[in-house]
């Protein structure tokens, strides 16, 4: 029986859809998929400077699982830098803390405060927004 992969808690999805290298002679078409949970692992460990114990608790995974996600994230980013690949943010096995939305117009990702009644993109004010899902 296939084991169901446990979901990893991500506090906020990446605010970008991807990164693209520039200043290279040929147009890169290759890309690496950076999962939301990999982005979160990099953010917690290298941006928020949490230790792996704290970070794994926050994401609701074991320490070895966190280490694996983190290692995978670093390898993907290193590969993108060295091989001038694009980085794409991909949903992966994440579950999000709040209900997040994506703007169909400008691709912004955002959540609404609990007391909001207006459902508009906070960036471009478009009403074409969709729940952020896989
Ligand atoms: Zn927008």
């Amino acid at each position: 029986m296939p084991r169901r992969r446990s979901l990893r808690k991500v506090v906020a999805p990446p605010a970008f859809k991807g990164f693209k290298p520039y200043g290279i002679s040929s147009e890169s078409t290759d890309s690496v998929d950076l999962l939301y949970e990999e982005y979160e692992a990099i953010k917690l460990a290298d941006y928020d400077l949490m230790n792996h114990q704290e970070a794994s608790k926050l994401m609701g995974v074991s320490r070895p699982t966190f280490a694996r996600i983190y290692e995978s994230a670093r390898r993907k980013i290193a590969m993108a830098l060295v091989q001038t690949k694009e980085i794409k943010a991909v949903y992966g096995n994440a579950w999000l803390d709040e209900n997040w939305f994506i703007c169909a117009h400008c691709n912004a990702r955002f959540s609404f405060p609990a007391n909001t009644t207006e459902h508009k993109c906070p960036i471009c004010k478009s009403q074409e927004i969709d729940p952020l899902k896989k």
Side-chain angles (χ1 to χ4, degrees), residues 74-100:
R74 295 182 71 132
R75 285 198 190 160
K76 284 180 180 179
I77 291 169
M79 187 194 286
L81 292 179
V82 174
Q83 299 184 5
T84 61
K85 291 173 187 276
E86 291 178 21
I87 298 173
K88 286 186 180 149
V90 173
Y91 204 93
N93 298 299
W95 66 274
L96 297 166
D97 225 11
E98 296 168 309
N99 292 321
W100 284 77

Side-chain angles (χ1 to χ4, degrees), residues 43-59:
K43 177 178 166 284
L44 295 178
D46 293 333
Y47 183 80
D48 297 330
L49 302 178
M50 274 183 198
N51 66 44
H52 287 196
Q53 188 67 47
E54 295 169 323
S56 64
K57 269 190 197 153
L58 214 85
M59 288 181 72

Side-chain angles (χ1 to χ4, degrees), residues 102-110 120-129:
I102 182 162
C103 174
H105 188 68
C106 74
N107 280 317
R109 287 142 205 243
F110 51 88
K120 276 185 198 168
C121 170
I123 313 295
C124 73
K125 311 293 177 210
S126 166
Q127 291 187 328
E128 286 173 63
I129 55 170

Side-chain angles (χ1 to χ4, degrees), residues 11-25:
V11 174
F16 55 86
K17 215 177 161 192
F19 277 95
K20 209 172 182 155
Y22 71 98
I24 51 174
S25 53

